[in-house]
Amino acid sequence: MAEWVKVCSAGEAPGPGKVQQFAAAGVDVCLANVDGELAAMDNWCPHRQGPLGEGWIEGNAVVCPWHAWAFDCRTGECPEENSHVKVFALKQQGGDVLIDLH
Ligand code: FES
């Protein structure tokens, strides 16, 4: 069963090429904008808990600001390190950005 929660309003979402950290229902989320398309993933890097929402975008990936592991925005995979973060389903509705916590 989906559990859609608001991350931010569409106007607060990061612009193309940017990432930002938000809290959604107590969950820290990294919101990324890749070429105008938003993606949401767990904010905390599985390496040493770096804040992905303070990182940057390279290609389709968010790069951790601490040691530069790169996580694909669609899959959450980090191929070089055989690691991954959770990626949340995302939709925009009524001017808000929503993610499914499940
Ligand atoms: S904490 Fe993210 S790469 Fe080390």
Side-chain angles (χ1 to χ4, degrees):
M1 185 87 177
E3 184 185 352
W4 293 97
V5 298
K6 179 179 176 178
V7 178
C8 63
S9 69
E12 294 170 325
K18 302 271 203 260
V19 297
Q20 196 171 332
Q21 178 179 332
F22 290 93
V27 176
D28 294 321
V29 174
C30 168
L31 197 59
N33 186 324
V34 179
D35 295 331
E37 194 166 323
L38 292 174
M41 61 178 67
D42 186 352
N43 188 64
W44 304 113
C45 177
H47 180 215
R48 293 192 185 163
Q49 300 297 295
L52 295 179
E54 295 178 20
W56 61 92
I57 289 177
E58 283 182 15
N60 289 328
V62 171
V63 181
C64 179
W66 285 8
H67 313 97
W69 286 18
F71 298 89
D72 188 292
C73 286
R74 296 186 184 97
T75 65
E77 299 295 324
C78 177
E80 313 93 84
E81 304 294 343
N82 194 25
S83 184
H84 72 280
V85 291
K86 181 177 174 70
V87 171
F88 300 102
L90 180 151
K91 67 180 180 182
Q92 296 196 47
Q93 186 174 293
D96 291 332
V97 178
L98 308 175
I99 60 168
D100 179 5
L101 288 180
H102 286 288

